[in-house]
Amino acid sequence: MSGTPGSFARSVLADRHPALIRQVADAFPYPPEQRRALDALAEETAAPASADATSGPPIGPLSTRTRTGTDTRTDDVRRWAEWGAEAYVGRASWYEVPFLWAESYFYRRLLDAVGYFGPGPWQGVDPFAPFKRAELTGPEVADELAALDALDDLAPDDRDRAVLQGALWGNRADLGFRISANGPTAHGSTAEASSTKAPSAEAPTAEASSTNASSANASSTNTSSAHASPTPAPTSTPSDDLLADDSAALWRHLAAAPPGTAAVTVIADNAGRELIPDLILIDHLLHTGRAATAVLHVKPYPYFVSDATTSDVVDCLRRIGQAPGRRARETGARLWSALGTGRLVVRAHPFACAPLPYADMPADLRAELGRATLTVLKGDLNYRRLVGDRLWSPTTEFSLPTGYFPSPLAALRTLKSDVIVGLDAGTVTALDANSAANGGAWRTSGTYAVVQVRTV
Protein backbone atom coordinates (compact mmCIF):
# COMPACT_ATOMS: atom_id res chain seq x y z
CA MET A 1 0.00 0.00 0.00
CA SER A 2 1.10 3.57 -0.59
CA GLY A 3 1.34 4.49 3.08
CA THR A 4 3.34 1.55 4.43
CA PRO A 5 5.84 3.14 6.86
CA GLY A 6 9.40 3.27 5.56
CA SER A 7 8.45 1.85 2.16
CA PHE A 8 9.63 2.91 -1.27
CA ALA A 9 5.98 3.57 -2.15
CA ARG A 10 5.48 6.04 0.70
CA SER A 11 8.68 7.89 -0.15
CA VAL A 12 7.55 8.39 -3.76
CA LEU A 13 4.31 10.02 -2.63
CA ALA A 14 5.84 11.97 0.24
CA ASP A 15 9.05 13.18 -1.41
CA ARG A 16 9.17 12.75 -5.17
CA HIS A 17 5.69 14.02 -5.99
CA PRO A 18 5.90 17.35 -4.09
CA ALA A 19 9.26 18.06 -5.73
CA LEU A 20 7.81 17.28 -9.15
CA ILE A 21 4.84 19.61 -8.61
CA ARG A 22 7.26 22.45 -7.84
CA GLN A 23 9.38 21.72 -10.87
CA VAL A 24 6.40 21.62 -13.21
CA ALA A 25 5.18 24.93 -11.76
CA ASP A 26 8.62 26.46 -12.38
CA ALA A 27 8.91 25.12 -15.93
CA PHE A 28 5.96 27.11 -17.35
CA PRO A 29 4.44 30.57 -16.83
CA TYR A 30 1.15 29.06 -15.76
CA PRO A 31 -1.64 31.53 -14.91
CA PRO A 32 -3.17 31.77 -11.42
CA GLU A 33 -5.83 29.12 -12.08
CA GLN A 34 -3.26 26.45 -12.85
CA ARG A 35 -1.01 27.51 -9.97
CA ARG A 36 -3.88 27.29 -7.51
CA ALA A 37 -4.70 23.82 -8.84
CA LEU A 38 -1.09 22.70 -8.43
CA ASP A 39 -0.97 24.08 -4.89
CA ALA A 40 -4.20 22.28 -4.07
CA LEU A 41 -2.84 19.00 -5.43
CA ALA A 42 0.32 19.43 -3.35
CA GLU A 43 -1.75 20.03 -0.22
CA GLU A 44 -4.04 17.10 -0.93
CA THR A 45 -1.17 14.67 -1.49
CA ALA A 46 1.06 15.89 1.35
CA ALA A 47 2.39 13.24 3.69
CA PRO A 48 0.77 12.88 7.11
CA ALA A 49 2.74 14.50 9.91
CA SER A 50 3.44 11.15 11.53
CA ALA A 51 5.69 8.75 9.64
CA ASP A 52 3.36 5.84 10.28
CA ALA A 53 0.03 7.61 9.71
CA THR A 54 -2.07 7.06 6.59
CA SER A 55 -4.90 9.50 7.22
CA GLY A 56 -5.16 12.72 5.28
CA PRO A 57 -7.34 14.71 2.91
CA PRO A 58 -9.55 12.51 0.72
CA ILE A 59 -8.47 11.83 -2.85
CA GLY A 60 -10.08 14.38 -5.13
CA PRO A 61 -11.98 13.79 -8.38
CA LEU A 62 -10.93 14.36 -11.95
CA SER A 63 -12.18 17.40 -13.79
CA THR A 64 -15.22 16.60 -15.92
CA ARG A 65 -14.91 19.62 -18.19
CA THR A 66 -14.61 18.74 -21.86
CA ARG A 67 -13.18 20.77 -24.72
CA THR A 68 -16.49 22.58 -25.09
CA GLY A 69 -16.58 23.49 -21.41
CA THR A 70 -19.63 21.38 -20.59
CA ASP A 71 -19.91 19.05 -17.62
CA THR A 72 -20.27 15.89 -19.71
CA ARG A 73 -17.92 13.16 -18.48
CA THR A 74 -15.27 12.29 -21.02
CA ASP A 75 -14.30 8.78 -22.04
CA ASP A 76 -11.11 9.12 -20.03
CA VAL A 77 -12.96 10.10 -16.86
CA ARG A 78 -15.33 7.16 -17.33
CA ARG A 79 -12.37 4.82 -17.75
CA TRP A 80 -10.79 6.08 -14.54
CA ALA A 81 -14.07 5.48 -12.73
CA GLU A 82 -13.87 1.86 -13.90
CA TRP A 83 -10.18 1.69 -12.97
CA GLY A 84 -10.87 2.46 -9.31
CA ALA A 85 -11.78 6.12 -8.95
CA GLU A 86 -15.30 5.28 -7.81
CA ALA A 87 -13.87 3.06 -5.07
CA TYR A 88 -11.20 5.45 -3.80
CA VAL A 89 -12.02 9.07 -4.69
CA GLY A 90 -13.58 10.89 -1.74
CA ARG A 91 -13.35 7.77 0.40
CA ALA A 92 -9.67 7.35 1.17
CA SER A 93 -6.44 9.31 1.41
CA TRP A 94 -3.54 8.91 -0.98
CA TYR A 95 -1.75 6.81 1.64
CA GLU A 96 -4.57 4.28 2.01
CA VAL A 97 -4.72 2.90 -1.54
CA PRO A 98 -2.51 0.60 -3.65
CA PHE A 99 0.74 2.23 -4.72
CA LEU A 100 0.35 1.56 -8.44
CA TRP A 101 -3.07 3.17 -8.41
CA ALA A 102 -2.00 6.19 -6.35
CA GLU A 103 1.10 6.85 -8.45
CA SER A 104 -0.80 6.58 -11.74
CA TYR A 105 -3.73 8.70 -10.57
CA PHE A 106 -1.32 11.39 -9.35
CA TYR A 107 -0.03 11.95 -12.89
CA ARG A 108 -3.55 12.05 -14.29
CA ARG A 109 -4.50 14.66 -11.65
CA LEU A 110 -1.35 16.65 -12.42
CA LEU A 111 -2.44 16.89 -16.07
CA ASP A 112 -5.84 18.09 -14.88
CA ALA A 113 -4.21 20.76 -12.72
CA VAL A 114 -2.20 22.26 -15.59
CA GLY A 115 -5.17 22.21 -17.97
CA TYR A 116 -3.84 19.55 -20.31
CA PHE A 117 -7.28 18.20 -21.13
CA GLY A 118 -8.84 21.64 -21.54
CA PRO A 119 -10.75 23.60 -22.30
CA GLY A 120 -8.41 26.55 -22.72
CA PRO A 121 -5.08 27.58 -24.23
CA TRP A 122 -3.05 25.09 -22.15
CA GLN A 123 -4.88 22.13 -23.61
CA GLY A 124 -2.44 19.54 -24.92
CA VAL A 125 0.69 21.29 -23.59
CA ASP A 126 2.97 18.58 -22.20
CA PRO A 127 4.07 19.74 -18.71
CA PHE A 128 7.18 17.55 -18.97
CA ALA A 129 8.25 18.74 -22.43
CA PRO A 130 11.06 21.06 -21.23
CA PHE A 131 12.72 18.19 -19.39
CA LYS A 132 12.39 15.88 -22.37
CA ARG A 133 13.72 18.46 -24.85
CA ALA A 134 16.72 19.29 -22.67
CA GLU A 135 17.67 15.63 -22.55
CA LEU A 136 17.11 15.00 -26.25
CA THR A 137 19.26 17.94 -27.31
CA GLY A 138 22.02 17.25 -24.79
CA PRO A 139 25.58 16.27 -25.70
CA GLU A 140 25.11 12.73 -24.38
CA VAL A 141 22.60 11.93 -27.14
CA ALA A 142 24.96 13.30 -29.78
CA ASP A 143 27.80 11.12 -28.49
CA GLU A 144 25.59 8.04 -28.38
CA LEU A 145 24.34 8.52 -31.93
CA ALA A 146 27.87 9.11 -33.19
CA ALA A 147 28.93 5.81 -31.62
CA LEU A 148 26.57 3.91 -33.91
CA ASP A 149 29.08 4.04 -36.77
CA ALA A 150 31.35 1.74 -34.76
CA LEU A 151 28.73 -1.03 -34.99
CA ASP A 152 29.86 -1.65 -38.58
CA ASP A 153 33.14 -3.05 -37.22
CA LEU A 154 31.42 -5.75 -35.16
CA ALA A 155 30.62 -9.33 -36.00
CA PRO A 156 26.85 -9.97 -36.37
CA ASP A 157 26.47 -11.61 -32.95
CA ASP A 158 28.36 -8.78 -31.25
CA ARG A 159 26.23 -6.24 -33.09
CA ASP A 160 23.08 -7.98 -31.83
CA ARG A 161 24.45 -7.87 -28.31
CA ALA A 162 25.43 -4.21 -28.50
CA VAL A 163 22.05 -3.09 -29.83
CA LEU A 164 20.09 -5.10 -27.28
CA GLN A 165 22.25 -3.87 -24.40
CA GLY A 166 21.79 -0.33 -25.67
CA ALA A 167 18.04 -0.73 -25.25
CA LEU A 168 18.50 -2.37 -21.86
CA TRP A 169 20.85 0.19 -20.31
CA GLY A 170 18.96 3.02 -21.94
CA ASN A 171 16.37 2.38 -19.25
CA ARG A 172 18.72 4.19 -16.86
CA ALA A 173 17.86 7.40 -18.75
CA ASP A 174 14.66 7.95 -16.79
CA LEU A 175 13.68 11.55 -16.07
CA GLY A 176 11.15 10.45 -13.48
CA PHE A 177 13.99 8.81 -11.59
CA ARG A 178 16.40 11.75 -11.99
CA ILE A 179 14.37 14.92 -12.36
CA SER A 180 14.10 15.66 -8.66
CA ALA A 181 17.61 14.61 -7.74
CA ASN A 182 20.28 16.99 -6.56
CA GLY A 183 23.69 16.45 -8.11
CA PRO A 184 24.42 13.28 -10.09
CA THR A 185 21.72 11.60 -12.16
CA ALA A 186 20.98 7.93 -12.09
CA HIS A 187 23.73 7.21 -14.59
CA GLY A 188 26.38 9.65 -13.52
CA SER A 189 25.73 12.85 -15.50
CA THR A 190 24.11 16.02 -14.22
CA ALA A 191 20.55 17.07 -14.84
CA GLU A 192 19.99 19.77 -17.42
CA ALA A 193 19.79 22.91 -15.33
CA SER A 194 18.60 25.02 -18.24
CA SER A 195 15.10 23.58 -18.05
CA THR A 196 14.90 22.04 -14.62
CA LYS A 197 15.00 23.78 -11.28
CA ALA A 198 16.45 21.41 -8.72
CA PRO A 199 14.39 21.08 -5.54
CA SER A 200 15.69 22.09 -2.19
CA ALA A 201 17.39 19.70 0.17
CA GLU A 202 14.13 19.47 2.09
CA ALA A 203 12.53 17.74 -0.90
CA PRO A 204 14.80 14.91 -2.03
CA THR A 205 13.72 12.16 -4.38
CA ALA A 206 12.16 9.00 -3.13
CA GLU A 207 15.42 7.21 -3.70
CA ALA A 208 17.47 9.74 -1.75
CA SER A 209 15.16 9.92 1.22
CA SER A 210 14.03 6.35 1.63
CA THR A 211 16.67 4.12 0.11
CA ASN A 212 19.78 6.28 -0.30
CA ALA A 213 19.77 5.02 -3.88
CA SER A 214 21.35 8.10 -5.36
CA SER A 215 24.36 7.94 -3.10
CA ALA A 216 24.58 4.19 -3.51
CA ASN A 217 24.61 4.54 -7.26
CA ALA A 218 27.12 7.37 -7.25
CA SER A 219 29.50 5.38 -5.10
CA SER A 220 29.03 2.09 -6.91
CA THR A 221 32.30 0.52 -7.94
CA ASN A 222 30.97 -2.23 -10.18
CA THR A 223 29.19 -0.18 -12.83
CA SER A 224 31.23 -0.60 -15.98
CA SER A 225 31.99 2.34 -18.21
CA ALA A 226 30.24 0.51 -21.00
CA HIS A 227 26.99 1.11 -19.17
CA ALA A 228 27.45 4.82 -18.62
CA SER A 229 25.34 5.64 -21.68
CA PRO A 230 22.30 4.02 -23.30
CA THR A 231 24.31 2.96 -26.37
CA PRO A 232 27.16 0.73 -25.22
CA ALA A 233 30.58 0.84 -26.77
CA PRO A 234 31.18 -1.90 -29.34
CA THR A 235 33.63 -3.62 -26.98
CA SER A 236 31.19 -3.73 -24.07
CA THR A 237 30.70 -6.97 -22.15
CA PRO A 238 28.09 -7.88 -19.52
CA SER A 239 29.08 -6.86 -15.99
CA ASP A 240 27.99 -7.90 -12.54
CA ASP A 241 25.29 -5.24 -12.84
CA LEU A 242 23.32 -7.54 -15.16
CA LEU A 243 21.60 -9.80 -12.65
CA ALA A 244 19.77 -12.05 -15.14
CA ASP A 245 20.51 -12.39 -18.85
CA ASP A 246 18.23 -14.43 -21.09
CA SER A 247 19.39 -12.63 -24.24
CA ALA A 248 20.30 -15.88 -26.00
CA ALA A 249 16.75 -17.16 -25.59
CA LEU A 250 15.41 -13.98 -27.18
CA TRP A 251 17.55 -14.37 -30.29
CA ARG A 252 16.82 -18.11 -30.55
CA HIS A 253 13.09 -17.48 -30.35
CA LEU A 254 13.14 -14.93 -33.17
CA ALA A 255 15.35 -17.16 -35.29
CA ALA A 256 12.86 -20.03 -34.92
CA ALA A 257 10.04 -18.07 -36.54
CA PRO A 258 9.35 -18.93 -40.22
CA PRO A 259 11.17 -16.44 -42.48
CA GLY A 260 9.26 -13.22 -43.05
CA THR A 261 6.63 -13.88 -40.38
CA ALA A 262 7.99 -12.56 -37.07
CA ALA A 263 5.96 -9.73 -35.57
CA VAL A 264 7.63 -7.90 -32.69
CA THR A 265 5.83 -5.59 -30.27
CA VAL A 266 7.78 -3.16 -28.09
CA ILE A 267 5.97 -1.58 -25.14
CA ALA A 268 7.99 1.59 -24.58
CA ASP A 269 8.86 3.24 -21.31
CA ASN A 270 10.74 6.54 -21.39
CA ALA A 271 11.26 9.05 -24.18
CA GLY A 272 14.55 10.70 -25.15
CA ARG A 273 17.72 8.81 -24.29
CA GLU A 274 15.82 5.58 -23.69
CA LEU A 275 13.48 5.72 -26.66
CA ILE A 276 16.31 6.34 -29.14
CA PRO A 277 18.02 2.99 -28.42
CA ASP A 278 14.59 1.31 -28.45
CA LEU A 279 14.04 2.66 -31.96
CA ILE A 280 17.54 1.56 -32.94
CA LEU A 281 16.70 -1.96 -31.70
CA ILE A 282 13.47 -1.97 -33.71
CA ASP A 283 15.35 -0.87 -36.82
CA HIS A 284 17.95 -3.57 -36.23
CA LEU A 285 15.26 -6.26 -35.99
CA LEU A 286 13.56 -5.05 -39.17
CA HIS A 287 16.75 -4.45 -41.13
CA THR A 288 18.25 -7.85 -40.28
CA GLY A 289 15.00 -9.69 -41.01
CA ARG A 290 14.51 -10.87 -37.41
CA ALA A 291 11.18 -9.08 -37.57
CA ALA A 292 8.94 -8.63 -40.58
CA THR A 293 6.81 -6.04 -38.78
CA ALA A 294 6.99 -4.14 -35.52
CA VAL A 295 4.50 -2.35 -33.28
CA LEU A 296 5.60 0.30 -30.80
CA HIS A 297 3.20 0.97 -27.92
CA VAL A 298 3.46 4.40 -26.27
CA LYS A 299 1.32 6.40 -23.85
CA PRO A 300 -1.75 8.30 -25.14
CA TYR A 301 -0.82 11.34 -23.03
CA PRO A 302 2.14 12.56 -20.92
CA TYR A 303 2.70 10.25 -18.00
CA PHE A 304 5.29 9.53 -15.30
CA VAL A 305 7.37 12.54 -16.39
CA SER A 306 9.26 11.01 -19.29
CA ASP A 307 7.09 8.18 -20.59
CA ALA A 308 7.03 8.18 -24.37
CA THR A 309 4.12 9.54 -26.41
CA THR A 310 3.65 9.65 -30.19
CA SER A 311 5.11 13.16 -30.37
CA ASP A 312 8.18 11.90 -28.51
CA VAL A 313 8.59 9.16 -31.12
CA VAL A 314 8.56 11.76 -33.89
CA ASP A 315 11.01 13.98 -31.99
CA CYS A 316 13.39 11.05 -31.52
CA LEU A 317 13.17 10.04 -35.18
CA ARG A 318 14.05 13.56 -36.24
CA ARG A 319 16.94 13.61 -33.78
CA ILE A 320 18.29 10.32 -35.12
CA GLY A 321 17.92 11.44 -38.72
CA GLN A 322 19.73 14.73 -38.09
CA ALA A 323 22.76 13.12 -36.44
CA PRO A 324 26.04 13.56 -38.37
CA GLY A 325 26.96 9.86 -38.43
CA ARG A 326 26.11 7.76 -41.48
CA ARG A 327 24.53 4.88 -39.55
CA ALA A 328 22.31 7.18 -37.50
CA ARG A 329 21.04 8.95 -40.62
CA GLU A 330 20.36 5.64 -42.35
CA THR A 331 18.59 4.31 -39.26
CA GLY A 332 16.39 7.40 -39.06
CA ALA A 333 15.51 7.18 -42.76
CA ARG A 334 14.61 3.49 -42.53
CA LEU A 335 12.41 4.01 -39.47
CA TRP A 336 10.65 6.97 -41.07
CA SER A 337 10.00 4.87 -44.17
CA ALA A 338 8.84 1.89 -42.09
CA LEU A 339 6.20 4.07 -40.44
CA GLY A 340 5.07 5.28 -43.84
CA THR A 341 4.75 1.78 -45.26
CA GLY A 342 3.21 0.20 -42.15
CA ARG A 343 6.10 -2.14 -41.32
CA LEU A 344 6.35 -0.13 -38.09
CA VAL A 345 3.13 0.95 -36.39
CA VAL A 346 2.72 3.19 -33.34
CA ARG A 347 -0.09 2.41 -30.93
CA ALA A 348 -1.36 4.41 -27.94
CA HIS A 349 -3.92 2.21 -26.20
CA PRO A 350 -5.76 3.81 -23.25
CA PHE A 351 -4.75 0.90 -21.02
CA ALA A 352 -1.15 2.10 -21.27
CA CYS A 353 -2.07 4.66 -18.58
CA ALA A 354 -4.21 2.34 -16.49
CA PRO A 355 -3.31 1.97 -12.80
CA LEU A 356 -3.68 -1.78 -13.19
CA PRO A 357 -1.48 -4.82 -13.86
CA TYR A 358 -1.31 -6.29 -17.35
CA ALA A 359 -3.24 -9.30 -16.07
CA ASP A 360 -6.29 -6.97 -16.20
CA MET A 361 -5.75 -5.84 -19.79
CA PRO A 362 -8.90 -5.51 -21.91
CA ALA A 363 -9.82 -8.10 -24.52
CA ASP A 364 -8.82 -6.02 -27.54
CA LEU A 365 -5.31 -5.42 -26.20
CA ARG A 366 -4.95 -9.05 -25.18
CA ALA A 367 -5.91 -10.16 -28.69
CA GLU A 368 -3.45 -7.74 -30.29
CA LEU A 369 -0.53 -8.73 -28.08
CA GLY A 370 -1.44 -12.38 -28.55
CA ARG A 371 -0.60 -12.08 -32.25
CA ALA A 372 2.98 -11.00 -31.55
CA THR A 373 5.87 -13.40 -32.04
CA LEU A 374 7.54 -11.58 -29.17
CA THR A 375 6.54 -8.68 -26.93
CA VAL A 376 9.39 -6.63 -25.45
CA LEU A 377 8.42 -4.72 -22.31
CA LYS A 378 10.74 -1.87 -21.42
CA GLY A 379 11.37 -0.35 -18.04
CA ASP A 380 10.44 -0.43 -14.41
CA LEU A 381 6.76 0.51 -14.52
CA ASN A 382 5.98 -2.01 -17.25
CA TYR A 383 7.80 -4.65 -15.19
CA ARG A 384 5.77 -3.79 -12.10
CA ARG A 385 2.56 -4.07 -14.08
CA LEU A 386 3.74 -7.30 -15.70
CA VAL A 387 4.22 -9.11 -12.38
CA GLY A 388 1.29 -7.47 -10.61
CA ASP A 389 3.30 -4.88 -8.62
CA ARG A 390 3.64 -7.41 -5.81
CA LEU A 391 6.56 -8.10 -3.51
CA TRP A 392 7.27 -11.60 -4.75
CA SER A 393 10.25 -13.46 -3.40
CA PRO A 394 13.06 -12.37 -5.73
CA THR A 395 13.83 -16.04 -6.45
CA THR A 396 10.34 -16.65 -7.87
CA GLU A 397 10.58 -18.05 -11.40
CA PHE A 398 9.93 -15.32 -13.98
CA SER A 399 7.42 -17.58 -15.74
CA LEU A 400 5.19 -17.88 -12.66
CA PRO A 401 3.78 -14.32 -12.41
CA THR A 402 3.91 -13.79 -16.20
CA GLY A 403 2.25 -17.00 -17.39
CA TYR A 404 -1.01 -15.18 -18.17
CA PHE A 405 0.66 -12.90 -20.76
CA PRO A 406 -0.78 -13.68 -24.21
CA SER A 407 2.52 -13.84 -26.14
CA PRO A 408 6.14 -14.82 -25.60
CA LEU A 409 7.81 -11.89 -23.89
CA ALA A 410 11.08 -10.27 -22.92
CA ALA A 411 11.48 -7.75 -20.09
CA LEU A 412 14.36 -5.27 -20.40
CA ARG A 413 14.55 -3.34 -17.16
CA THR A 414 16.88 -1.53 -14.80
CA LEU A 415 15.79 -1.84 -11.19
CA LYS A 416 14.26 1.32 -9.69
CA SER A 417 11.59 -0.16 -7.42
CA ASP A 418 11.29 -3.01 -4.96
CA VAL A 419 9.57 -5.51 -7.26
CA ILE A 420 11.80 -8.23 -8.76
CA VAL A 421 11.57 -11.94 -9.65
CA GLY A 422 13.73 -14.46 -11.48
CA LEU A 423 17.01 -14.14 -9.55
CA ASP A 424 19.05 -16.97 -8.09
CA ALA A 425 19.40 -17.23 -4.33
CA GLY A 426 23.14 -16.62 -4.30
CA THR A 427 22.79 -13.37 -6.21
CA VAL A 428 20.10 -12.12 -3.83
CA THR A 429 22.15 -13.02 -0.76
CA ALA A 430 25.21 -11.20 -2.10
CA LEU A 431 23.20 -8.11 -3.07
CA ASP A 432 21.47 -7.94 0.31
CA ALA A 433 24.80 -8.24 2.11
CA ASN A 434 26.41 -5.56 -0.05
CA SER A 435 23.47 -3.20 0.51
CA ALA A 436 23.59 -3.72 4.25
CA ALA A 437 27.32 -3.03 4.34
CA ASN A 438 27.23 0.06 2.12
CA GLY A 439 23.91 1.60 3.15
CA GLY A 440 22.48 1.28 -0.34
CA ALA A 441 19.41 -0.41 -1.78
CA TRP A 442 20.08 -2.60 -4.79
CA ARG A 443 16.43 -2.92 -5.78
CA THR A 444 15.88 0.82 -6.27
CA SER A 445 19.23 2.35 -7.19
CA GLY A 446 18.96 2.07 -10.97
CA THR A 447 22.37 0.36 -10.95
CA TYR A 448 21.27 -3.19 -11.77
CA ALA A 449 19.37 -4.63 -14.70
CA VAL A 450 17.73 -7.80 -16.03
CA VAL A 451 16.95 -9.32 -19.41
CA GLN A 452 14.27 -11.89 -18.63
CA VAL A 453 12.58 -13.93 -21.35
CA ARG A 454 9.62 -16.33 -21.37
CA THR A 455 9.03 -18.00 -24.74
CA VAL A 456 6.34 -20.56 -23.84
Side-chain angles (χ1 to χ4, degrees):
M1 299 296 283
S2 297
T4 302
S7 67
F8 174 81
R10 187 181 184 102
S11 69
V12 169
L13 267 66
D15 301 319
R16 180 184 294 182
H17 288 178
L20 177 60
I21 290 173
R22 290 196 300 274
Q23 289 188 319
V24 167
D26 289 340
F28 286 93
Y30 287 122
E33 180 181 1
Q34 272 85 348
R35 295 192 177 278
R36 285 192 295 269
L38 288 169
D39 290 343
L41 181 61
E43 183 176 352
E44 180 187 316
T45 58
S50 173
D52 59 354
T54 58
S55 60
I59 299 171
L62 296 176
S63 169
T64 57
R65 293 192 301 168
T66 67
R67 295 176 182 179
T68 59
T70 66
D71 289 329
T72 304
R73 294 172 70 86
T74 64
D75 289 342
D76 189 60
V77 172
R78 284 195 295 270
R79 276 192 292 267
W80 274 95
E82 296 169 359
W83 290 343
E86 289 186 342
Y88 300 135
V89 170
R91 303 181 183 185
S93 83
W94 289 86
Y95 295 81
E96 296 173 326
V97 298
F99 176 45
L100 179 61
W101 195 91
E103 194 176 18
S104 300
Y105 190 66
F106 169 81
Y107 282 96
R108 179 57 179 81
R109 286 284 307 282
L110 184 64
L111 293 178
D112 253 359
V114 299
Y116 180 85
F117 292 103
W122 292 94
Q123 183 184 110
V125 177
D126 183 347
F128 313 125
F131 317 130
K132 295 178 184 178
R133 292 192 195 108
E135 181 180 74
L136 195 59
T137 58
E140 296 91 349
V141 170
D143 292 342
E144 290 153 7
L145 289 173
L148 288 177
D149 283 341
L151 293 176
D152 292 335
D153 299 328
L154 298 181
D157 287 350
D158 291 335
R159 194 176 304 146
D160 291 344
R161 186 179 303 110
V163 171
L164 184 64
Q165 286 200 12
L168 169 65
W169 293 108
N171 187 227
R172 279 181 172 171
D174 179 352
L175 285 170
F177 184 66
R178 297 185 288 122
I179 197 169
S180 303
N182 292 315
T185 65
H187 49 80
S189 62
T190 56
E192 290 81 357
S194 60
S195 296
T196 307
K197 181 179 178 181
S200 67
E202 287 76 21
T205 62
E207 289 77 14
S209 64
S210 177
T211 67
N212 295 320
S214 295
S215 59
N217 190 51
S219 62
S220 174
T221 59
N222 64 350
T223 301
S224 73
S225 60
H227 297 156
S229 66
T231 304
T235 58
S236 67
T237 57
S239 77
D240 291 340
D241 296 345
L242 189 53
L243 304 182
D245 185 7
D246 298 336
S247 301
L250 182 155
W251 296 115
R252 285 197 303 269
H253 179 72
L254 291 177
T261 65
V264 173
T265 293
V266 176
I267 301 180
D269 188 25
N270 299 303
R273 290 185 71 196
E274 179 174 355
L275 185 57
I276 284 178
D278 292 347
L279 289 167
I280 290 169
L281 173 62
I282 290 172
D283 172 72
H284 183 72
L285 296 177
L286 292 172
H287 188 54
T288 61
R290 264 56 169 270
T293 59
V295 177
L296 177 62
H297 278 259
V298 296
K299 300 298 191 295
Y301 49 76
Y303 195 63
F304 276 69
V305 184
S306 58
D307 280 18
T309 64
T310 302
S311 63
D312 296 318
V313 173
V314 176
D315 288 344
C316 286
L317 287 177
R318 289 199 173 105
R319 183 68 183 90
I320 295 170
Q322 293 168 359
R326 176 189 59 80
R327 179 175 273 272
R329 292 197 305 272
E330 291 177 352
T331 298
R334 285 195 299 263
L335 288 166
W336 197 277
S337 175
L339 281 168
T341 61
R343 288 190 72 203
L344 172 58
V345 176
V346 177
R347 295 261 196 264
H349 196 283
F351 190 75
C353 291
L356 303 172
Y358 281 113
D360 295 337
M361 71 180 80
D364 63 329
L365 181 59
R366 180 177 293 275
E368 179 183 338
L369 295 178
R371 293 189 289 270
T373 306
L374 179 73
T375 298
V376 179
L377 293 98
K378 285 297 307 295
D380 199 78
L381 177 60
N382 282 324
Y383 192 95
R384 288 168 52 195
R385 297 181 70 190
L386 176 66
V387 302
D389 205 31
R390 293 174 55 189
L391 286 176
W392 300 88
S393 166
T395 60
T396 301
E397 290 288 338
F398 179 68
S399 60
L400 179 62
T402 65
Y404 69 89
F405 202 83
S407 70
L409 61 95
L412 310 184
R413 176 237 186 169
T414 57
L415 279 60
K416 304 168 194 168
S417 65
D418 291 321
V419 178
I420 183 65
V421 297
L423 303 184
D424 64 74
T427 296
V428 174
T429 299
L431 290 167
D432 285 341
N434 184 62
S435 293
N438 297 321
W442 62 269
R443 294 178 184 233
T444 57
S445 67
T447 298
Y448 300 101
V450 294
V451 178
Q452 294 175 316
V453 175
R454 196 214 75 211
T455 59
V456 293

